[in-house]
Amino acid sequence: MITNKINTILNNSQQGDIDYMICNYIKMNLKEVAFMSIEELARKSYVSKAKISKFIKKLAYDNYIAFKDDCLLELEIRKQVTNTNYFLTKKHLHDSLSWIEKNLMKIEQSQIDYFVRKIKEAKHIYLYGVAYSHLLCQYVQYEG
């Protein structure tokens, strides 16, 4: 997925790096980028068309059309995640929150402090999940 590829480059590049700047622009403007020509993307990200072409190859896409297709797929997945969240019922949400509250009472504060400290120290954080947990992981990744 495009977000995974973009985040990998953002997390492993310097802010002044050209790839970093292109990734940052794409991440912040994915809805527009999905419909831009290569020339428009080059102009908006202040690089040459050749640099965008090279960058697309670096992301492992055969061409700019394949890149745009993945951008559109990403937007569709985000839309589905949003729609799925919309259809959660109040009862399901209430039951989930009750379960979380009940289980949080079993966790000691020192365990939470340790966990938060380790997250803050981490250079990378990878989230994996199944079903709704997977959707939550995707949401956290998009927002993070």
Side-chain angles (χ1 to χ4, degrees), residues 4 10 16 18 24 33 38 40 42 47 50 54 60 63 78 89 94 115 118 120-121 127 133 141-142:
N4 295 339
L10 287 172
I18 291 175
N24 194 45
V33 169
I38 192 169
E40 288 175 293
V47 297
K54 185 177 176 182
N63 53 46
R78 288 182 186 185
T89 64
H94 176 72
F115 182 68
K118 289 300 181 182
K120 287 180 178 179
E121 293 171 0
L127 300 173
S133 299
Q141 182 177 1
Y142 298 145

Side-chain angles (χ1 to χ4, degrees), residues 54-107:
K54 185 177 176 182
F55 175 77
I56 296 302
K57 300 280 187 210
K58 185 176 185 175
L59 291 178
Y61 294 105
D62 292 334
N63 53 46
Y64 190 71
I65 293 171
F67 164 76
K68 283 179 47 171
D69 287 346
D70 204 22
C71 290
L72 289 169
L73 178 62
E74 179 82 21
L75 292 172
E76 184 60 33
I77 288 170
R78 288 182 186 185
K79 185 174 159 186
Q80 289 174 3
V81 168
T82 303
N83 289 342
T84 300
N85 290 339
Y86 176 77
F87 290 112
L88 289 175
T89 64
K90 281 186 177 182
K91 180 176 177 357
H92 178 80
L93 184 59
H94 176 72
D95 292 347
S96 297
L97 292 174
S98 295
W99 182 86
I100 290 170
E101 185 177 19
K102 182 178 81 178
N103 285 292
L104 278 177
M105 301 309 264
K106 296 178 184 178
I107 300 173

Side-chain angles (χ1 to χ4, degrees), residues 8-69:
T8 298
I9 291 175
L10 287 172
N11 291 329
N12 294 303
S13 302
Q14 298 295 323
Q15 285 188 354
D17 186 44
I18 291 175
D19 289 344
Y20 181 94
M21 293 187 302
I22 296 169
C23 283
N24 194 45
Y25 181 83
I26 292 169
K27 185 173 182 175
M28 296 302 183
N29 301 284
L30 188 64
K31 288 179 183 176
E32 293 81 20
V33 169
F35 300 99
M36 284 182 181
S37 68
I38 192 169
E39 292 84 5
E40 288 175 293
L41 180 56
R43 187 171 23 83
K44 296 272 187 172
S45 56
Y46 302 104
V47 297
S48 68
K49 181 180 165 185
K51 181 59 186 167
I52 295 293
S53 220
K54 185 177 176 182
F55 175 77
I56 296 302
K57 300 280 187 210
K58 185 176 185 175
L59 291 178
Y61 294 105
D62 292 334
N63 53 46
Y64 190 71
I65 293 171
F67 164 76
K68 283 179 47 171
D69 287 346

